[in-house]
């Protein structure tokens, strides 16, 4: 294992069979070596900085029916909400005062959020906060829609590919969604000049090591500026309610591997990671992560953006989240960076 990790560290790549052994090992010494190499590489490019992204969960309405997701359209128990333009602006205002310089508007695929509506919000944000990055995470839309939103002032787009293996993609999604369309969206976003984030869930139902290797290979092809991964966490009113969730150890292994494969990438320690272990995000930060995405959504809607069970940070005000995260980041030995936090390499 030592040799494999050193080879990945030196060359940023491994063969399929080498990756398989590394993904599957439960050797603790290997985990520690991977962690320290990942941390060394993140510090080479980003020092001790951790970038904050203020997450505004704009809508829990979704036309899609992804089998793992708590806000899928078939979940009749879900309590739905959508924010108004004024509410979104208020979230951004409080976020700006708290020092955030990136706003992420994420939501289900809600047809109420037309291009006209989104472009209005984006240009207002762009005008008020010229020093901030505007990130969108609104799922699959048309090339024209992505183009208009970019023109209105959006900088970045987060769209996890979810699963790069056709077979697994089909088991996690309804028939009307396709991996090829998901990929097309990512290539469209990239060609429009967005900084792109992609990624996948770890430990999703039916996922094999070969599926994870397919995810890594797809990311090597796409070369996104950000890679978001987190453990799959079951949601009680989805078809995967009784499935096992992804583990902390496997998620950390993949984070370490991603940092060594993509030395300059932006790698968030996700809320899902913090949900499966109380110190999950701190462990992520120590294993190559350099981004956290605290919640800026109004407290009265937070519980309703329930993608999975036991999601953390649903009861606190934005300011409390900010203080709590600052404490966690510093306790792990890192520092909060109040800046836009672009990827050090425009195109990886
Ligand atoms: N509609 C947008 C935003 C989706 S929510 C889009 O399609 O991109 C953001 C991410 O949450 C998803 O990409 C998915 O990977 C993750 N997610 C959804 N359900 C989850 C679950 N049960 N456990 C862990 N992560 C989940």
């Amino acid at each position: 294992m030592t040799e494999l990790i050193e080879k990945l560290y030196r060359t940023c790549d491994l063969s399929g069979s080498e990756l398989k052994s590394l993904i599957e090992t439960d050797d603790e010494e290997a985990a520690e070596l991977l962690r320290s190499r990942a941390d060394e590489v993140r510090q080479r490019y980003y020092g001790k900085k951790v970038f904050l992204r203020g997450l505004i969960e704009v809508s829990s309405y979704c036309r899609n029916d992804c089998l793992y997701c708590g806000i899928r359209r078939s979940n009749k128990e879900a309590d739905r909400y959508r924010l108004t333009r004024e509410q979104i602006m208020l979230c951004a205002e409080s976020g700006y005062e708290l020092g955030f310089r990136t706003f992420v508007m994420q939501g289900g695929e809600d047809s109420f959020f037309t291009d006209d509506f989104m472009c209005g919000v984006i240009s207002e944000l762009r005008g008020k906060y010229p020093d901030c990055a505007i990130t969108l995470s609104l799922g699959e839309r048309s090339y024209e829609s992505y183009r208009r939103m970019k023109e209105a002032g959006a900088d970045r787009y987060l769209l996890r590919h979810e699963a790069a293996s056709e077979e697994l993609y089909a088991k996690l999604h309804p028939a009307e969604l396709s991996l090829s369309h998901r990929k097309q969206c990512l290539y469209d976003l990239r060609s429009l000049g967005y900084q792109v984030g992609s990624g996948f869930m770890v430990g999703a139902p039916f996922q094999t090591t070969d599926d994870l290797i397919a995810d890594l290979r797809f990311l090597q092809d796409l070369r996104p500026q950000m890679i978001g991964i987190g453990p799959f966490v079951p949601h009680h009113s989805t078809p995967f309610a009784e499935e096992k969730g992804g583990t902390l150890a496997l998620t950390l292994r993949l984070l370490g591997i991603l940092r060594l494969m993509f030395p300059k990438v932006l790698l968030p320690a996700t809320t899902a990671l913090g949900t499966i272990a109380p110190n999950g995000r701190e462990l992520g930060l120590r294993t190559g992560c350099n981004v956290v995405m605290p919640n800026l959504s109004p407290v009265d809607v937070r519980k309703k953006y329930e993608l999975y069970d036991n999601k953390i940070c649903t009861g606190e005000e934005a300011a409390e989240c900010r203080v709590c995260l600052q404490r966690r980041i510093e306790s792990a030995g890192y520092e909060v960076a109040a800046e836009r936090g672009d990827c050090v390499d425009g195109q990886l």
Side-chain angles (χ1 to χ4, degrees):
M1 281 309 143
T2 304
E3 245 169 70
L4 290 186
I5 295 165
E6 296 297 356
K7 181 177 173 193
L8 182 58
Y9 169 73
R10 274 195 327 271
T11 66
C12 305
D13 202 7
L14 289 178
S15 72
S17 63
E18 290 170 333
L19 276 175
K20 194 175 173 103
S21 336
L22 191 53
I23 292 172
E24 290 180 350
T25 185
D26 53 9
D27 186 299
E28 285 183 18
E29 267 174 48
E32 177 50 27
L33 178 63
L34 184 61
R35 190 203 64 71
S36 75
R37 285 306 199 192
D39 190 44
E40 182 190 331
V41 170
R42 77 85 85 193
Q43 292 206 36
R44 184 188 306 155
Y45 296 106
Y46 293 98
K48 300 263 186 200
K49 284 181 185 177
V50 177
F51 300 129
L52 298 182
R53 315 306 199 195
L55 184 65
I56 308 173
E57 296 158 332
V58 294
S59 175
S60 71
Y61 285 89
C62 191
R63 74 167 84 95
N64 282 340
D65 217 18
C66 308
L67 277 77
Y68 44 84
C69 184
I71 62 167
R72 66 200 300 267
R73 68 162 185 266
S74 298
N75 180 8
K76 301 290 178 238
E77 285 163 26
D79 199 353
R80 311 280 173 173
Y81 74 93
R82 65 170 63 91
L83 300 185
T84 61
R85 174 165 169 163
E86 292 68 33
Q87 283 177 305
I88 297 173
M89 295 312 297
L90 284 173
C91 290
E93 196 178 303
S94 64
Y96 192 87
E97 278 164 22
L98 292 168
F100 295 101
R101 293 297 175 267
T102 293
F103 303 119
V104 183
M105 288 183 273
Q106 186 180 83
E109 291 192 18
D110 180 356
S111 39
F112 182 86
F113 283 72
T114 57
D115 296 345
D116 285 341
F117 177 85
M118 282 315 303
C119 288
V121 177
I122 295 165
S123 24
E124 188 173 348
L125 284 171
R126 183 40 70 236
K128 281 202 175 130
Y129 307 106
D131 53 335
C132 291
I134 300 174
T135 304
L136 305 173
S137 181
L138 302 168
E140 298 177 28
R141 299 172 75 101
S142 67
Y143 182 89
E144 183 53 18
S145 167
Y146 291 148
R147 193 194 61 72
R148 286 190 57 195
M149 295 194 296
K150 180 80 178 51
E151 203 174 83
D155 305 284
R156 306 180 182 146
Y157 206 102
L158 308 182
L159 185 76
R160 292 184 176 179
H161 65 274
E162 310 293 1
S165 127
E166 289 280 0
E167 218 183 316
L168 180 60
Y169 195 92
K171 288 180 182 157
L172 302 179
H173 299 97
E176 73 261 20
L177 293 177
S178 75
L179 176 59
S180 59
H181 189 256
R182 192 88 180 165
K183 285 184 177 174
Q184 188 56 51
C185 288
L186 285 161
Y187 291 118
D188 286 348
L189 289 162
R190 195 174 61 176
S191 74
L192 283 162
Y194 281 94
Q195 295 169 34
V196 171
S198 195
F200 55 90
M201 288 179 295
V202 177
F206 313 111
Q207 187 182 59
T208 63
T209 305
D210 285 337
D211 294 328
L212 289 168
I213 295 172
D215 289 321
L216 298 174
R217 295 301 184 217
F218 171 67
L219 291 167
Q220 285 180 317
D221 178 55
L222 181 69
R223 305 196 78 70
Q225 281 84 10
M226 184 191 259
I227 299 176
I229 68 162
F232 159 71
V233 184
H235 182 286
H236 61 277
S237 34
T238 62
F240 293 159
E242 303 303 325
E243 299 289 334
K244 280 207 292 286
T247 66
L248 177 65
L250 181 58
T251 308
L252 292 173
R253 246 175 357 256
L254 281 152
L255 285 170
I257 291 171
L258 286 168
R259 173 55 68 205
L260 296 186
M261 268 192 163
F262 304 97
K264 299 178 180 175
V265 81
L266 294 162
L267 198 58
T270 55
T271 306
L273 185 58
T275 295
I276 62 161
N279 60 343
R281 285 171 299 177
E282 290 88 325
L283 292 171
L285 291 174
R286 301 187 65 240
T287 314
C289 291
N290 60 342
V291 173
V292 286
M293 302 175 66
N295 203 321
L296 281 181
S297 311
V299 175
D300 59 317
V301 304
R302 283 199 194 183
K303 278 216 168 5
K304 302 181 190 170
Y305 196 77
E306 191 188 41
L307 307 179
Y308 46 80
D309 289 341
N310 307 315
K311 189 172 162 224
I312 53 168
C313 310
T314 55
E316 293 88 7
E317 292 288 346
E320 295 172 71
C321 278
R322 173 73 170 77
V323 171
C324 161
L325 270 170
Q326 172 131 8
R327 192 165 35 72
R328 287 170 183 274
I329 290 165
E330 288 171 359
S331 78
Y334 301 91
E335 63 201 36
V336 170
E339 52 189 274
R340 275 174 57 119
D342 288 293
C343 182
V344 291
D345 195 349
Q347 175 76 44
L348 278 172

